[in-house]
Amino acid sequence: MSESRQKDFAKGERIKIHQPNADKADRFNPRNRIYVRAVQGVWTTLRRKMGWVALSFFLLLPWIPYGDRQAVWFHIAEQKFHIFGLTIWPQDLTLLAALFMIAAFALFFVTTYLGRVWCGYTCPQTVWTFIFMWFEEKIEGSRNKRIKLDKMPWSWNKLWRKTAKHSAWGVISLITSLTFISYFVPTQELYRDFFTGQATGLVYFWGVFFTLATYGNAGWMRDIMCTHMCPYARFQSVMFDKNTFIVGYDAKRGETRGPRSRKADPKAMGLGDCIDCDLCVQVCPTGIDIRNGLQYECINCGACIDACDNTMERMGYAKGLISYTTENHLEGQSQKVMRPKLVGYGVVLGVIILGFIYNLANIDPLRLDVLRDRNALYRETSEGLVENTYTLKILNKTEADNRYRLTVTGLEDYKWSGPEELLIKAGEVATQPISIAVDPYDLSRPIVSIEIKVELVDDPSINYSHESRFFSRG
């Protein structure tokens, strides 16, 4: 890629190219619809399988039971995130931040190495768009039939096909919406109440909102989401280099392009292997011509590779005119897999993953917060003792009711006022005020560091400590 072309790519600019799918006068106009042609091939099959895996995971996960609840349930009202046997509380949301960091650096790492494959194979926008396109093709027909149908005046044939297509899109959108909501509302309760009219207004609001969002994004906006609204399309160029695997066209082999018969000798005609069939453009979900070089709209889905390979096979030519390759390879230079940027992303990603796993494995099953009495540092009792008052907040983060024992260290001889054992129900926070009194002659300093400890009665190895201060007269 030339230096000027790299600058254009970094700025998000686009080369004007031949586009049979839309009005040539203004191909950026959202009204200029892209009619995507169906294609078969290795990469299309892989994308479909990965899409079905992701879709099945999304749809089935809320239905998996775990004890007396569903396995994955983000209980916003009680501020608890249930993931099978793991319960994450607001105090553990640093794990969520770490998870976002893992996702970000994984995206950086994969993009640096394999380009925009996330968009082409696993992005929800891509998965749902291809599902909508599948229904569109089954109901309205192939690409040419769809173009012809849209140009026809309204008739019974056009009416029922359009109605059936949009009805199918609506059903998919509603199922998607309810599935997403079922991660936050118990699944069986959600479906029962939603279709019997007993759900809350908030549930109906989000149900309609996500239904319309899915219908609009995957049905109407499609490539607009990828090229104009997704920020990833704009900043991906920062991660690209000449060793990044991209969908590339071998211009040295393909040019000069032009039509010919199967029996013709392209060399005798002064032509390359590209027969200028435009199928690579017709199958592209974002409507670009990959023969014009790397463009930020390319989502690396590989549809153009399959279309070109099929054409090469029919013509009796070698496959790979369009392929997953690198700019260095296209320019005849050697490829470098291990490079500083890729290694850096990998190292950071590995460190964050290890830290996440460590913190995940060491989530405390209980939590203790100690609040001192703000009205007075200390007071003297009628017995001449110095007394400090504290408020303990103990969170039982397990799924069972437990009895806990309270102790304090750092004071040799003290008088404890308040219960020394507490029964706390599963998932509840117990607020318990206590007082600790000490003979001032037993204190060597006016401020003594102490440690209040809570431990499970049945298993003292499960405990949590909180440091505080004990104040006395100077």
Side-chain angles (χ1 to χ4, degrees), residues 246 248-252 323 325-333:
I246 58 172
Y249 166 70
D250 189 351
K252 294 179 180 179
S323 63
T325 184
T326 66
E327 287 190 67
N328 275 340
H329 184 265
L330 291 175
E331 295 172 0
Q333 301 178 12

Side-chain angles (χ1 to χ4, degrees), residues 194-215:
F194 190 90
F195 290 107
T196 58
Q198 299 178 2
T200 64
L202 193 61
V203 168
Y204 281 115
F205 169 79
W206 288 114
V208 172
F209 177 83
F210 288 121
T211 298
L212 294 177
T214 305
Y215 175 80

Side-chain angles (χ1 to χ4, degrees), residues 409-429:
T409 58
L411 298 173
E412 296 183 359
D413 188 15
Y414 62 88
K415 180 181 179 181
W416 180 286
S417 298
E420 297 187 62
E421 288 190 5
L422 290 175
L423 177 64
I424 306 176
K425 294 184 178 180
E428 291 191 355
V429 178

Side-chain angles (χ1 to χ4, degrees), residues 129-178:
T129 294
F130 276 103
I131 291 174
F132 275 44
M133 286 166 50
W134 184 87
F135 278 95
E136 187 176 57
E137 182 183 358
K138 295 301 179 183
I139 296 172
E140 294 187 353
S142 63
R143 176 180 181 273
N144 292 334
K145 290 182 179 179
R146 297 199 303 274
I147 296 175
K148 183 178 179 181
L149 182 67
D150 284 351
K151 292 180 178 179
M152 291 172 53
W154 282 98
S155 62
W156 169 248
N157 178 60
K158 184 173 182 178
L159 179 62
W160 83 259
R161 289 183 184 276
K162 292 292 183 182
T163 303
K165 180 187 75 172
H166 289 285
S167 298
W169 286 2
V171 171
I172 298 169
S173 300
L174 179 60
I175 294 174
T176 302
S177 175
L178 294 179

Side-chain angles (χ1 to χ4, degrees), residues 105 108-109 112-113 238-244 328 335-349:
F105 276 94
F108 299 160
F109 179 83
T112 301
Y113 183 50
V238 178
M239 292 165 275
F240 275 47
D241 56 43
K242 289 193 173 185
N243 291 291
T244 299
N328 275 340
Q335 298 178 194
K336 294 180 180 180
V337 176
M338 302 300 292
R339 46 201 190 274
K341 182 165 61 174
L342 185 64
V343 173
Y345 284 143
V347 170
V348 174
L349 177 62

Side-chain angles (χ1 to χ4, degrees), residues 238-404:
V238 178
M239 292 165 275
F240 275 47
D241 56 43
K242 289 193 173 185
N243 291 291
T244 299
F245 280 90
I246 58 172
V247 175
Y249 166 70
D250 189 351
K252 294 179 180 179
R253 173 185 161 189
E255 301 297 325
T256 301
R257 69 186 77 160
R260 82 294 304 264
S261 67
R262 293 181 60 185
K263 296 181 180 180
D265 183 3
K267 293 183 178 180
M269 299 174 66
L271 298 174
D273 284 356
C274 178
I275 67 173
D276 204 20
C277 62
D278 272 338
L279 291 180
C280 58
V281 182
Q282 296 177 22
V283 301
C284 179
T286 58
I288 66 171
D289 190 338
I290 196 63
R291 294 171 295 181
N292 287 325
L294 181 61
Q295 298 152 73
Y296 79 90
E297 298 93 339
C298 179
I299 61 173
N300 272 29
C301 66
C304 57
I305 299 178
D306 288 333
C308 188
D309 282 349
N310 293 338
T311 299
M312 294 295 103
E313 187 175 13
R314 287 193 297 268
M315 294 296 295
Y317 300 162
K319 296 180 180 180
L321 180 59
I322 301 176
S323 63
Y324 283 107
T325 184
T326 66
E327 287 190 67
N328 275 340
H329 184 265
L330 291 175
E331 295 172 0
Q333 301 178 12
S334 60
Q335 298 178 194
K336 294 180 180 180
V337 176
M338 302 300 292
R339 46 201 190 274
K341 182 165 61 174
L342 185 64
V343 173
Y345 284 143
V347 170
V348 174
L349 177 62
V351 170
I352 298 176
I353 290 176
L354 290 177
F356 176 79
I357 294 174
Y358 175 80
N359 289 319
L360 189 65
N362 291 277
I363 290 181
D364 295 311
L366 67 144
R367 177 88 179 188
L368 170 66
D369 289 320
V370 179
L371 304 177
R372 286 188 47 83
D373 184 3
R374 295 183 179 180
N375 295 323
L377 292 178
Y378 67 91
R379 71 182 187 89
E380 294 186 7
T381 67
S382 57
E383 300 174 347
L385 303 179
V386 176
E387 184 180 61
N388 284 205
T389 302
Y390 307 87
T391 299
L392 309 183
K393 291 184 177 293
I394 307 170
L395 170 61
N396 178 6
K397 296 166 67 176
T398 68
E399 298 292 314
D401 299 347
N402 292 320
R403 183 171 292 277
Y404 296 95

